[in-house]
Amino acid sequence: MRLWKDTVTPSAPRSIVSTLAALAGLVVALSTSPATAAPSGSARAEVQHTQELVILLGPHAAMSAPDEGSASLELVPARRPITEDRTVLPVLGHRSGADGAEWLHVLLPGRPNGHTGWIKRRATRSTITGWRIVIDTSSRRVTVYQQGRKIRAFKAIVGTPATPTPPGEFFVEEVIRLRAGDVGAPFALALSARSNVLQEFAGGPGQIALHGLRNVGGVLGSAVSHGCVRLANDAMRWLNVRIGPGIPVTIRS
């Protein structure tokens, strides 16, 4: 079932899956003990203004180099497992192969965190986004940028020292609508990041997500989760109408 139109327009309306079972494996935190927020660090470098994205129109073999004779890393499916939305990947570079085919260097989802590969441009469609999310776990804030300009900042709950929110360069894999009774409702942004501590969670791959506070709670500005980033429900509603698959997410510690 196709649940979102094949575009990457963050403000476009979308119909997304409404089932708790679909979120099995996202790392949601059940602890609610508060912690004191750490002071923010030094000034950060200016964020990138735009990011090229590629929409997969079919499954693609990710290779270790822009060459069909190089090692195969994985097969990237055309659709995401929870929502069945098109897979959208950030593009890091371009290169022409020996056979004249154009290859794209892309950021890949899953383990190991931040791994990359090369896919052929054929059976893809390119687009560009100006949206970017930066999560600072030391200040416990989530900042949203558009065209390099800060648009909004939200206080957040991040992972505990024992189960930290992993740092690195990631992207939004899927945007998921949850039922009122689901943990983390009303929405979740499932990221390409995976926990560095929990290899699996609730039967799933230990996937990191940004999600709401409904049915899980916690004090904003604390570090009490198993790795996920919790935001106020209104913040998740705001993100839901602007952020789509492929949007880059930087997590800083």
Side-chain angles (χ1 to χ4, degrees):
M1 178 172 60
R2 186 161 65 97
L3 296 169
W4 189 40
K5 59 194 275 188
D6 296 335
T7 62
V8 187
T9 306
S11 59
R14 51 188 178 275
S15 172
I16 37 188
V17 71
S18 172
T19 172
L20 177 61
L23 265 182
L26 288 182
V27 182
V28 293
L30 302 179
S31 167
T32 57
S33 57
T36 304
S40 58
S42 58
R44 301 292 188 176
E46 182 178 336
V47 302
Q48 187 173 321
H49 285 204
T50 60
Q51 173 66 56
E52 182 183 359
L53 305 175
V54 64
I55 305 166
L56 304 192
L57 305 181
H60 276 68
M63 313 299 288
S64 61
D67 185 336
E68 287 188 348
S70 64
S72 177
L73 301 176
E74 62 190 84
L75 182 66
V76 186
R79 296 187 183 276
R80 293 292 85 207
I82 300 174
T83 60
E84 297 185 12
D85 285 343
R86 289 284 185 191
T87 295
V88 186
L89 306 173
V91 177
L92 307 177
H94 300 248
R95 189 175 298 176
S96 294
D99 60 356
E102 185 175 358
W103 292 77
L104 304 175
H105 190 205
V106 294
L107 190 59
L108 296 169
R111 302 182 195 278
N113 278 337
H115 73 298
T116 65
W118 292 86
I119 64 171
K120 284 192 172 182
R121 178 183 278 282
R122 59 173 174 74
T124 69
R125 187 164 72 249
S126 296
T127 187
I128 294 176
T129 182
W131 292 96
R132 181 176 295 268
I133 297 174
V134 176
I135 301 168
D136 192 312
T137 58
S138 61
S139 64
R140 296 162 193 173
R141 295 187 73 81
V142 172
T143 305
V144 182
Y145 295 87
Q146 187 180 35
Q147 302 290 335
R149 184 168 63 93
K150 178 180 173 180
I151 301 297
R152 291 289 297 272
F154 304 104
K155 189 179 292 187
I157 295 170
V158 299
T160 70
T163 56
T165 303
E169 297 297 330
F170 306 107
F171 60 94
V172 176
E173 281 194 51
E174 307 180 70
V175 181
I176 302 148
R177 181 173 186 169
L178 300 172
R179 297 171 300 189
D182 292 344
V183 172
F187 298 99
L189 304 183
L191 303 184
S192 61
R194 304 294 187 266
S195 171
N196 288 328
V197 176
L198 302 171
Q199 296 303 302
E200 65 87 24
F201 191 90
Q207 186 172 9
I208 301 298
L210 282 78
H211 61 73
L213 294 176
R214 200 172 289 167
N215 308 308
V216 62
V219 178
L220 292 171
S222 64
V224 298
S225 84
H226 283 136
C228 278
V229 177
R230 302 183 211 163
L231 296 174
N233 297 338
D234 284 346
M236 289 306 305
R237 293 188 187 96
W238 187 90
L239 289 169
N240 173 65
V241 298
R242 293 166 175 83
I243 303 301
I247 301 300
V249 177
T250 299
I251 302 179
R252 299 167 172 163
S253 57

